[in-house]
Amino acid sequence: MQRQWTLHIVLGAVTLWLVSCIALAAEPLDRETLEPYIVPPMSLGERINDEGVWQLLNSGGAEAGFVFETEPMAPLPGFSGAPINVLVVLDLEARFLDVKLISHNEPIFVSGLGQAPFHKFFEQYRGHSITESLVVGTPYGAGTDGSALVYLDGVTKATASVRIAHESVLAATLKVAREKMSGVSTGPPAYPDLTYDEPLDWEDLVRQGLVTRHRVSNAEINAEFAGTIWADDDPEARDNPDGTFLDLWVVDIGPPSIARAVLSPGSLAELKGFMGISTSDEPILVIETARHGLVTDEFIRNTSPDLISAEQGGFPIALRDADIYIELNDALPDELHDGAALILRTDRRLGFDPTAEWTLRIKALREHGMFKPEIGSASVDITHSTDARFFKRLEAVKPTPAWVDALRNRAADLIILAVFLVGLIALLGLSLNRLAGHRYFTPIRLGILAFVIGFVGWWGQGQLSIVTPLGVIRTVAEGGSLAFLLYDPFSLVIWAVTILGFVLWGRGLFCGWL
């Protein structure tokens, strides 16, 4: 019993330590910590937002790009449970100027391979653009695969850690690129409406276009490689051109009504548990029933699939295996049960909109040569979107006008001032001489003036200045708005009473009492 309690205490302490590490690490670094990472003549400018995005300034002091950490925006956990924090320096054209490792706790580098290989990996980003298809891996042979893929050499024995770091860099960079470089803010993302319930079956999904199917024949894939050294490197495609090379089904299973029609009760329960934890992830189910498959033998679960990529609006979508056991609904066709299935996840916070059209890209590989073969690839694109009725979208919070905030912030002062002014006018009377013969006129007057100096003047700063009427005249002459007067409602009330008093009684009210 004592041994069990000791184990529980140790596990609890470790858990608390990991949670505290993650919580502390998520706080963006300050200027003093980040400035040494910026190589002259570039320098660190002003901080742009609360997520640790800074301006990058050139030698002339003009904006040249952005500096940010990956952890505050894309805290993907590594094997240690703590995110890998990387500093990214991006120019205004979305090109990587520099990528540097700040902190991590990956066991393979801490106590195994050492830090140098991890630092060297990030040097490969320099000069590449976020619009390129950057993947971790090394193509075999000396030839190119003919695709737009850009390979970053991984670190032997640490592939998973490197891929997690790569996904963090891409996710954070995509978020900055969408918000700062596209000219349009992404706005609140759409998310599945968990309260929406609609009875659906597989036939309904297919008929309504909620499932996308794309078939590619052997002849079509042969046409992609025609004229290359890989043209005859697929004997099955050559001998059976009418056969099916790829038969892919794509369905967004984030909405409960769709997931219920696709998954078995057991897999549906596991998906609900996953989405209860990963509340910002959108799960995408892909099923392939022909001979292509979905991943290579080198694929590692819970990382990015090596044959699948995606994009939306010209920007890549960061996909990652959700590592969920997949068992399909019994009502689905038998061919789907026999196919290769994968549930991928992408973070909606990084700009993915499931209700807008996006493109899934499948890479087909061919090898040429026996020893150290050259790899060729062709891409197959499938577009998909899900009807908006299954989703909710938070309305963008409109900032309260500054004058409304000013009224709210000074509500108590304005009430006291209003009570005082009404009471003063009532005390003085319509002719302002009611107190003139009062036996306690002097102490009453001094008391009122003391309140005016203390509350209206020192506390409320309700001091009238020539600047205000000059500002009004200039604004009227230029056809501008007089809303700026509302920014100081306390002084505006004094002005209103002063002008009213001048019209009714001349300068007596203001000069004598205010």
Side-chain angles (χ1 to χ4, degrees):
M1 180 66 71
Q2 183 178 1
R3 188 176 301 171
Q4 290 180 346
W5 275 107
T6 303
L7 179 60
H8 290 163
I9 292 173
V10 171
L11 290 176
V14 171
T15 302
L16 289 175
W17 174 76
L18 288 175
V19 172
S20 63
C21 286
I22 295 173
L24 291 174
E27 189 69 24
L29 299 177
D30 56 25
R31 176 182 292 275
E32 290 71 22
T33 306
L34 291 178
E35 279 184 330
Y37 288 96
I38 309 302
V39 179
M42 297 294 186
S43 61
L44 195 65
E46 296 298 319
R47 184 166 166 173
I48 297 176
N49 62 22
D50 295 335
E51 293 182 302
V53 180
W54 299 72
Q55 286 180 314
L56 178 70
L57 306 180
N58 60 22
S59 57
E63 186 176 71
F66 304 94
V67 179
F68 53 92
E69 306 165 62
T70 61
E71 185 176 354
M73 291 183 289
L76 300 180
F79 282 108
S80 65
I84 301 169
N85 197 21
V86 179
L87 183 77
V88 178
V89 182
L90 206 66
D91 70 10
L92 295 175
E93 302 298 324
R95 288 190 301 267
F96 292 102
L97 297 179
D98 203 359
V99 179
K100 293 181 179 179
L101 179 63
I102 297 178
S103 63
H104 74 95
N105 198 33
E106 294 301 282
I108 189 67
F109 294 109
V110 172
S111 57
L113 299 176
Q115 304 288 346
F118 210 14
H119 285 275
K120 189 173 181 60
F121 167 77
F122 293 104
E123 296 176 3
Q124 301 176 83
Y125 287 90
R126 296 173 187 167
H128 291 298
S129 171
I130 187 59
T131 58
E132 298 178 78
S133 296
L134 301 173
V135 296
V136 176
T138 304
Y140 296 106
T144 177
D145 62 4
S147 71
L149 295 178
V150 176
Y151 289 94
L152 304 177
D153 288 338
V155 180
T156 305
K157 300 180 181 179
T159 305
S161 293
V162 167
R163 284 182 174 173
I164 292 172
H166 174 64
E167 292 165 17
S168 299
V169 171
L170 291 186
T173 306
L174 282 169
K175 186 173 184 179
V176 173
R178 284 190 176 99
E179 294 183 355
K180 305 300 180 185
M181 299 179 187
S182 63
V184 180
S185 177
T186 57
Y191 61 95
D193 184 357
L194 302 182
T195 63
Y196 182 83
D197 187 22
E198 180 179 344
L200 295 169
D201 57 25
W202 180 253
E203 287 73 20
D204 294 330
L205 300 183
V206 174
R207 186 175 60 257
Q208 297 180 27
L210 299 173
V211 176
T212 296
R213 185 184 189 184
H214 189 79
R215 283 182 286 192
V216 178
S217 68
N218 288 329
E220 290 173 317
I221 203 66
N222 277 338
E224 294 293 328
F225 288 101
T228 71
I229 61 174
W230 302 281
D232 297 321
D233 287 317
D234 187 347
E236 185 174 347
R238 183 186 61 225
D239 298 339
N240 183 22
D242 295 330
T244 303
F245 174 77
L246 176 75
D247 192 356
L248 189 72
W249 303 77
V250 182
V251 55
D252 186 332
I253 55 174
S257 299
I258 298 178
R260 188 171 56 247
V262 174
L263 299 178
S264 69
S267 291
L268 182 62
E270 186 172 352
L271 176 65
K272 288 181 178 179
F274 166 80
M275 295 189 68
I277 299 174
S278 302
T279 56
S280 63
D281 282 336
E282 189 69 19
I284 309 294
L285 174 65
V286 290
I287 305 174
E288 209 282 306
T289 61
R291 64 188 188 90
H292 175 270
L294 293 173
V295 295
T296 65
D297 294 337
E298 289 76 27
F299 171 68
I300 298 174
R301 297 305 302 263
N302 205 27
T303 64
S304 296
D306 44 9
L307 295 181
I308 305 175
S309 60
E311 70 171 37
Q312 185 177 55
F315 287 105
I317 298 172
L319 295 177
R320 192 177 184 186
D321 173 38
D323 199 13
I324 295 176
Y325 173 72
I326 303 173
E327 187 177 59
L328 302 179
N329 192 305
D330 292 337
L332 267 62
D334 292 338
E335 60 177 321
L336 295 176
H337 288 274
D338 297 333
L342 200 63
I343 294 180
L344 304 173
R345 56 173 168 152
T346 185
D347 197 331
R348 293 185 299 271
R349 295 173 300 178
L350 304 180
F352 177 69
D353 183 359
T355 66
E357 189 174 88
W358 56 279
T359 301
L360 187 73
R361 182 164 292 120
I362 305 295
K363 184 169 64 172
L365 299 179
R366 285 189 180 181
E367 296 183 0
H368 183 75
M370 295 294 294
F371 300 100
K372 209 174 183 182
E374 297 182 58
I375 307 298
S377 75
S379 295
V380 178
D381 292 352
I382 304 100
T383 58
H384 182 76
S385 62
T386 306
D387 193 275
R389 73 179 187 272
F390 295 98
F391 296 87
K392 284 184 176 180
R393 192 186 302 271
L394 292 175
E395 294 184 5
V397 179
K398 296 181 180 179
T400 305
W403 63 270
V404 175
D405 286 335
L407 287 174
R408 291 174 178 172
N409 294 336
R410 305 215 60 180
D413 293 343
L414 290 172
I415 292 173
I416 295 174
L417 178 64
V419 172
F420 165 73
L421 292 174
V422 171
L424 175 64
I425 294 175
L427 186 64
L428 295 177
L430 295 179
S431 59
L432 300 187
N433 60 3
R434 180 181 295 174
L435 291 176
H438 198 284
R439 57 187 296 186
Y440 297 114
F441 173 78
T442 299
I444 292 176
R445 175 174 169 76
L446 293 177
I448 292 174
L449 294 181
F451 180 85
V452 170
I453 293 175
F455 177 75
V456 178
W458 288 340
W459 174 263
Q461 294 294 304
Q463 304 185 33
L464 307 190
S465 168
I466 190 63
V467 174
T468 302
L470 288 179
V472 171
I473 294 173
R474 183 175 65 252
T475 301
V476 172
E478 296 175 355
S481 172
L482 296 176
F484 74 92
L485 295 173
L486 297 174
Y487 295 165
D488 184 8
F490 196 88
S491 296
L492 185 62
V493 171
I494 303 295
W495 270 111
V497 173
T498 299
I499 294 173
L500 178 64
F502 182 78
V503 172
L504 296 178
W505 306 296
R507 62 187 180 90
L509 178 64
F510 177 73
C511 294
W513 300 93
L514 298 180

